[in-house]
């Protein structure tokens, strides 16, 4: 039974389109995250939500909008897709935001590979 | 600004030998360090961590060493097994920033 699941696994679309990536965790965690891994393999935090509230919002274009309908879900919607958005997007969750960086590490989904044509 | 660096993109080790993966950091405020392991088409999975108040943490075949003065940490895997073949990411956090900073990863290949 997958702990953190993302759909779709692959997403190929044209520039200018709007797309969404869904994420669900069944670990009972309070905190969820979105990361972007670019072509240089850097894995960078984009957003973090704790109990459906935004707590981290890195310098990400406004075209990216996370939505957390409940603690178990954090979806990522991207408007007007650009070539530079091509990357692998990882969802993650943790028990809470305070120990996630120490003794209660984050659990990651398998990623969504987004390719913009 | 790359605060966490893994300067070796790849490493090849024979089965049974020791694998040593290195990581350097620049931010002296980092106080916790983690290693994640990633197989192809999967997400990173937590492997081992160390607090800045320690210089060594061991878990089975995996040991992480921290040298704060050199701003350097390393992951030792001994003995290495073919199943250890994966990409290993070093990550660091600072108490006042509440986020993980990842390195770019080192691809380890363990051959028979």
């Amino acid at each position: 039974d997958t702990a953190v699941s993302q759909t779709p696994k692959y997403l190929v679309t044209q520039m200018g389109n709007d797309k969404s990536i869904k994420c669900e965790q069944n670990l009972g965690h309070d905190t969820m995250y979105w990361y972007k891994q670019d072509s240089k393999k850097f894995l960078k935090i984009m957003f973090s939500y704790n109990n459906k509230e935004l707590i981290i919002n890195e310098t990400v274009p406004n075209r990216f909008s996370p939505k957390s309908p409940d603690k178990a879900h954090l979806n990522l919607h991207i408007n007007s897709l650009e070539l530079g958005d091509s990357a692998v997007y990882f969802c993650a969750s943790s028990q809470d935001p305070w120990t996630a960086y120490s003794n209660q590490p984050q659990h990651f989904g398998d990623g969504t590979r987004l390719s913009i044509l | 600004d790359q605060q966490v660096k893994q300067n070796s993109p790849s490493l090849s080790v024979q089965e049974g030998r020791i694998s040593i993966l290195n990581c350097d950091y620049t931010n002296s405020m980092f106080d916790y360090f983690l290693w994640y392991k990633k197989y192809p088409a999967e997400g990173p999975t937590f492997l081992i961590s160390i607090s800045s108040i320690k210089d060594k943490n061991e878990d089975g075949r995996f040991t992480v060493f921290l040298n704060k003065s050199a701003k350097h940490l390393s992951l030792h895997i001994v003995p290495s097994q073919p199943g250890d073949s994966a990409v290993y990411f070093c990550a660091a956090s600072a108490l006042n920033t509440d986020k993980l900073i990842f390195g770019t990863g080192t691809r380890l290949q363990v051959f028979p």
Side-chain angles (χ1 to χ4, degrees):
Chain A
D1 196 16
T2 307
V4 180
S5 59
Q6 301 178 224
T7 53
K9 196 168 179 70
Y10 299 96
L11 186 51
V12 182
T13 189
Q14 302 239 337
M15 217 165 40
N17 284 350
D18 302 338
K19 290 293 178 186
S20 292
I21 307 172
K22 295 186 177 180
C23 180
E24 176 181 3
Q25 54 95 4
N26 62 4
L27 296 166
H29 287 167
D30 286 346
T31 311
M32 295 186 73
Y33 313 80
W34 276 109
Y35 284 84
K36 177 181 180 181
Q37 186 180 33
D38 60 22
S39 57
K40 294 182 180 177
K41 305 302 180 188
F42 284 109
L43 193 63
K44 289 185 180 177
I45 183 75
M46 299 172 68
F47 301 102
S48 172
Y49 271 70
N50 186 52
N51 276 319
K52 303 192 299 174
E53 299 218 357
L54 182 67
I55 56 172
I56 292 178
N57 185 351
E58 288 296 288
T59 309
V60 177
N62 291 337
R63 299 182 294 103
F64 289 79
S65 53
K67 291 211 173 22
S68 181
D70 55 58
K71 272 191 343 180
H73 296 84
L74 180 62
N75 304 322
L76 183 64
H77 189 77
I78 316 170
N79 288 328
S80 304
L81 281 158
E82 300 178 357
L83 289 175
D85 297 333
S86 294
V88 182
Y89 292 85
F90 288 98
C91 177
S93 73
S94 67
Q95 187 64 52
D96 58 58
W98 304 282
T99 55
Y101 313 99
S102 57
N103 60 345
Q104 295 286 344
Q106 297 170 30
H107 294 250
F108 284 80
D110 287 342
T112 295
R113 182 174 293 277
L114 174 63
S115 299
I116 310 300
L117 303 177
Chain B
D1 178 24
Q2 196 177 340
Q3 299 183 65
V4 178
K5 300 177 186 178
Q6 293 176 257
N7 293 318
S8 298
S10 64
L11 176 67
S12 191
V13 171
Q14 189 171 30
E15 182 179 6
R17 302 259 185 173
I18 185 171
S19 295
I20 301 176
L21 297 101
N22 294 305
C23 179
D24 297 292
Y25 61 95
T26 57
N27 189 342
S28 57
M29 298 298 292
F30 286 147
D31 56 5
Y32 218 91
F33 304 89
L34 302 90
W35 284 94
Y36 278 80
K37 175 180 178 179
K38 184 184 179 305
Y39 292 116
E42 293 184 12
T45 54
F46 171 72
L47 192 58
I48 193 169
S49 63
I50 188 167
S51 162
S52 60
I53 62 173
K54 295 185 175 181
D55 54 19
K56 177 182 174 181
N57 188 26
E58 192 172 351
D59 182 3
R61 296 185 298 113
F62 302 90
T63 303
V64 56
F65 295 92
L66 175 62
N67 183 334
K68 281 189 297 184
S69 60
K71 293 193 178 67
H72 177 85
L73 65 154
S74 60
L75 173 68
H76 291 211
I77 307 172
V78 55
S80 301
Q81 299 173 355
D84 296 330
S85 298
V87 177
Y88 289 79
F89 289 96
C90 171
S93 67
L95 196 59
N96 61 344
T97 59
D98 291 344
K99 62 183 178 184
L100 277 179
I101 307 296
F102 282 86
T104 50
T106 296
R107 183 178 300 278
L108 172 66
Q109 185 178 14
V110 180
F111 59 93

